[in-house]
Amino acid sequence: GPGPEGPQRRVVVVRITSPIAWLRTRFYYLLIRLYFDQEFSVEEFTRGAKQAFSLVSKLLSQRKLDLLDELVSPEVLQVLKEKISLLPDSHRDALAADIDSIMYTTEGDVRIYYDDDGRKFVSILMCFWYLNGANLPDEVPGGAKVFQIVFGDESTKEKKHLLTANYEFQREFTEGAKPDWTITRIEHPRLLE
C-alpha cells in the first residue's frame, strides 16, 4: 500500500517444492542439530548466508578479491581472479547485491559427508534472487533472457534486473576445526561464466 514516500513495493514468491526434497532437507537439518551442532538454526544460518552473499558479491563487483581470503576457499578464489579480470563492467556491476535487494532466498541442497581422513563436513547450497540496476543488455551471453522489472511511472522509470546467484557454504565439524563457514562455490549464471 501507499506509504509516506509513495507506493510500497512488494514481491510475492510462490514456490512449489517436491515433498521428498523438503523432507530430505529437513532430515539433514535434524542430523546437523543431533550430531554436529545442537544450536544450529536454519533461520540464523540463512540470515548469515544473506549477509555473506551481499558482502562477497559487492567485493567481487569492486574487484577487491584480496579481502575474500577468510570467506572463500582458495580454489574458488583462484578461479574468481581469472574470471573477474575478463568481465565487462556491466556484468561486474551486476554481481553486487545489496542485502535489501535480495528478494528471495532458499536452500538448494544440503550434504553431510566424511573425507578419506575421517574429517566431517556439512555443505549447504543457497540460492539467491536479487534486484540489480546494472546496465545489462536484454539478452546476455548464452541466449538467456534476463528478467526486467520497471518501477514508477513514465517520468520516474527505474529498470531493475532480477538476477540469481548460488553460493555453497561448507563447514568442517571435525573436533578442533575452526567453527567457520567457508564459501566453496560461487555461481552467478550468465554473468560469471
Side-chain angles (χ1 to χ4, degrees):
E5 298 168 6
Q8 297 287 325
R9 298 178 191 148
R10 189 169 167 189
V11 175
V12 177
V13 176
V14 177
R15 179 178 174 211
I16 300 172
T17 305
S18 159
I20 294 170
W22 185 85
L23 283 172
R24 180 180 174 270
T25 302
R26 296 306 173 252
F27 176 69
Y28 275 116
Y29 287 148
L30 177 64
L31 289 177
I32 292 169
R33 278 194 299 279
L34 290 175
Y35 295 107
F36 298 109
D37 182 359
Q38 295 174 352
E39 297 177 16
F40 179 81
S41 159
V42 177
E43 294 79 19
E44 186 177 320
F45 176 82
T46 301
R47 271 193 303 276
K50 284 171 118 175
Q51 291 172 349
F53 164 63
S54 179
L55 174 65
V56 169
S57 69
K58 286 178 187 176
L59 292 174
L60 287 174
S61 173
Q62 298 165 2
R63 293 186 181 160
K64 294 182 179 178
L65 302 179
D66 53 325
L67 299 176
L68 296 175
D69 286 338
E70 297 293 317
L71 301 170
V72 178
S73 72
E75 299 82 14
V76 171
L77 197 53
Q78 183 59 40
V79 171
L80 288 172
K81 286 178 181 178
E82 296 168 11
K83 289 183 176 183
I84 292 291
S85 65
L86 302 174
L87 280 183
D89 288 343
S90 61
H91 284 83
R92 193 173 39 88
D93 292 343
L95 296 175
D98 186 61
I99 198 155
D100 294 331
S101 70
I102 299 172
M103 298 283 95
Y104 185 66
T105 305
T106 187
E107 64 277 345
D109 191 23
V110 180
R111 295 183 302 136
I112 297 173
Y113 60 95
Y114 296 82
D115 70 4
D116 294 337
D117 298 327
R119 298 184 311 167
K120 302 178 251 183
F121 295 91
V122 170
S123 174
I124 302 175
L125 177 67
M126 296 297 291
C127 307
F128 303 95
W129 284 261
Y130 64 102
L131 290 175
N132 184 289
N135 188 19
L136 291 173
D138 290 346
E139 297 285 333
V140 292
K145 182 82 173 152
V146 175
F147 293 102
Q148 294 180 17
I149 300 169
V150 178
F151 297 108
D153 58 22
E154 284 300 315
S155 62
T156 61
K157 239 193 313 195
E158 180 183 4
K159 185 169 84 171
K160 298 266 186 175
H161 298 278
L162 182 61
L163 302 169
T164 62
N166 302 312
Y167 281 46
E168 183 176 62
F169 295 85
Q170 177 183 291
R171 179 176 168 192
E172 182 177 352
F173 281 94
T174 310
E175 191 171 327
K178 288 180 12 179
D180 296 333
W181 290 91
T182 303
I183 299 171
T184 56
R185 183 167 79 184
I186 294 178
E187 297 172 343
H188 284 261
R190 298 175 228 3
L191 295 175
L192 194 59
E193 294 181 338

